[in-house]
């Protein structure tokens, strides 16, 4: 085992008994030898614990007494787990037998790589990229996240076009490999995010600390996921709020305020368009997100943290994906990013 660094595969579960039954056997069959498999339960009210005890006695179980969301739940769980690497794995991910080895080999080859993700394909349409991270997360100049293989709601067919290993801006929380030392040095996820885009914010801090984020397409997993964002409700609120919080936290002052103003304008356009189409819940969610940022602006700002221009980080597209996608009708990552660089 000494040639294989210790890996803890940690599945944060909330009422996902059916996913545990369906996908845990493949995780257990992973060929990487020096691994632990741990389910951290976020106060589930279904049969999750019973399913684990009866069907998967070899899986370690941590039981939280309250639902702390993705961010707080993982912070709570990982404080209790010692391992060289953590793999944060969604309960609705189908893994392949040798999904761990390529990424650990890559990360061991370069001490500056702190986090990495596999290629994420759709569980239901296995030749399509999956929304949550596709083949590596990027960010545009205004802070809109997208991915190689997924721009807004458009998912590309995987034909091997993004099979190169490369640095990215953010690695998907659906299957996030991260060095435990870096996770704890940076104090983990920002708990106030609760859920949605917390992995992007952590990856931003990782880059600001001088480390790199990578995608390793030689590792492949299949994610059920939610596909496109559900319109309205708490999920939309958290996505808009958390994305804007990142800009407040990490952009240098000479970028922050004009970009926030432009983002508020673009978000408002989207909200009013939805309202005119009858989607009141979406409008309310965006309004609440903006209200939160305006009333918590000073408390969100991180004064002592190193600030770097967004364009100086890896995985940043210097233009606007809003402009390219909606106005120039470019749908694929290659059309938008790679043609601009060539």
């Amino acid at each position: 085992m000494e040639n294989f660094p210790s890996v803890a595969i940690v599945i944060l579960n909330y009422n996902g008994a059916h996913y545990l039954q369906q996908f845990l056997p493949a995780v257990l069959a992973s060929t990487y030898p020096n691994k632990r498999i741990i389910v951290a339960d976020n106060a589930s009210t279904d049969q999750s614990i019973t399913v684990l005890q009866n069907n998967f006695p070899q899986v370690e179980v941590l039981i939280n007494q309250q639902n702390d969301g993705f961010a707080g739940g993982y912070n709570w769980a990982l404080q209790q787990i010692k391992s060289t690497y953590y793999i944060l794995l969604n309960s609705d991910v189908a893994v392949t037998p040798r999904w761990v080895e390529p990424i650990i080999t890559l990360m061991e080859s370069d001490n500056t790589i702190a986090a990495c993700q596999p290629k994420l394909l759709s569980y239901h349409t296995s030749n399509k990229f999956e929304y949550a991270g596709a083949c590596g997360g990027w960010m545009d100049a205004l802070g809109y996240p997208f991915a190689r293989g997924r721009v807004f709601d458009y998912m590309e067919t995987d034909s091997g076009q993004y099979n190169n290993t490369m640095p990215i801006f953010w690695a998907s929380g659906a299957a996030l490999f991260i060095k435990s030392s870096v996770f704890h040095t940076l104090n983990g996820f920002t708990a106030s995010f609760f859920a949605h885009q917390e992995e992007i914010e952590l990856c931003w801090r990782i880059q600001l600390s001088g480390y790199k984020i990578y995608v390793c397409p030689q590792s492949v997993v299949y994610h059920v996921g939610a596909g496109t964002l559900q319109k309205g409700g708490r999920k939309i609120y958290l996505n808009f709020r958390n994305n804007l919080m990142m800009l407040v936290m990490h952009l240098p002052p000479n970028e922050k305020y004009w970009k926030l103003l432009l983002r508020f304008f673009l978000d408002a356009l989207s909200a009013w368009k939805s309202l005119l189409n009858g989607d009141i819940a979406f409008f309310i969610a965006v309004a609440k997100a903006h209200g939160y940022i305006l009333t918590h602006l000073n408390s969100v700002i991180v004064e002592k943290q190193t600030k770097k221009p967004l364009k100086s980080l890896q995985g940043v597209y210097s233009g606007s994906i809003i402009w390219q996608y909606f106005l120039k009708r470019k749908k694929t990552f290659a059309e938008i990013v790679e043609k601009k660089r060539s």
Side-chain angles (χ1 to χ4, degrees), residues 97 131 159 217 251 333:
Y131 185 94
S159 59
L251 286 178
F333 177 89

Side-chain angles (χ1 to χ4, degrees), residues 123-239:
Y123 179 76
H124 294 297
T125 312
S126 61
N127 65 335
K128 293 278 190 181
F129 288 105
E130 206 280 321
Y131 185 94
C135 210
W138 276 58
M139 186 82 81
D140 86 343
L142 295 178
Y144 287 105
F146 62 111
R148 298 201 305 166
R150 189 275 292 175
V151 180
F152 289 111
D153 293 345
Y154 183 79
M155 266 65 71
E156 295 180 45
T157 297
D158 174 30
S159 59
Q161 69 270 43
Y162 305 124
N163 273 355
N164 54 317
T165 298
M166 67 176 295
I168 54 177
F169 189 92
W170 56 274
S172 172
L176 173 63
F177 289 63
I178 187 166
K179 288 182 175 176
S180 62
S181 57
V182 175
F183 184 88
H184 293 301
T185 298
L186 296 181
N187 298 313
F189 294 114
T190 298
S192 60
F193 274 48
F194 190 78
H196 300 299
Q197 301 199 33
E198 64 289 304
E199 79 271 44
I200 304 178
E201 191 276 324
L202 175 58
C203 287
W204 199 331
R205 278 186 282 132
I206 288 172
Q207 284 212 62
L208 291 175
S209 299
Y211 292 98
K212 293 180 286 193
I213 321 291
Y214 260 71
V215 60
C216 180
Q218 289 67 45
S219 171
V220 180
V221 301
Y222 299 86
H223 187 208
V224 174
T228 58
L229 297 180
Q230 299 170 4
K231 301 299 182 183
R234 185 163 173 77
K235 185 172 183 177
I236 290 297
Y237 164 74
L238 288 170
N239 268 291

Side-chain angles (χ1 to χ4, degrees), residues 37-109:
I37 299 170
I38 302 156
V39 172
D41 189 78
N42 234 351
S44 292
T45 56
D46 67 355
Q47 297 300 307
S48 291
I49 302 303
T50 302
V51 165
L52 291 167
Q53 291 172 342
N54 291 344
N55 301 320
F56 304 103
Q58 65 273 60
V59 173
E60 301 174 51
V61 181
L62 300 174
I63 301 176
N64 198 353
Q65 298 304 312
Q66 61 187 20
N67 182 3
D68 291 322
F70 187 98
Y74 266 121
N75 286 349
W76 164 82
L78 298 181
Q79 285 291 339
Q80 306 172 63
I81 300 169
K82 293 189 181 299
S83 184
T84 303
Y85 291 95
Y86 297 137
I87 304 175
L88 282 53
L89 184 69
N90 279 15
S91 61
D92 62 343
V93 171
V95 302
T96 50
R98 289 183 57 81
W99 68 292
V100 176
E101 287 90 335
I103 294 183
I104 298 301
T105 299
L106 171 65
M107 296 181 74
E108 283 288 289
S109 73

Side-chain angles (χ1 to χ4, degrees), residues 261-281:
L261 284 173
L262 186 51
R263 279 295 308 275
F264 267 60
F265 173 72
L266 292 171
D267 290 356
L269 280 182
S270 178
W272 280 103
K273 180 177 181 291
S274 295
L275 182 62
L276 292 174
N277 290 332
D279 194 343
I280 299 174

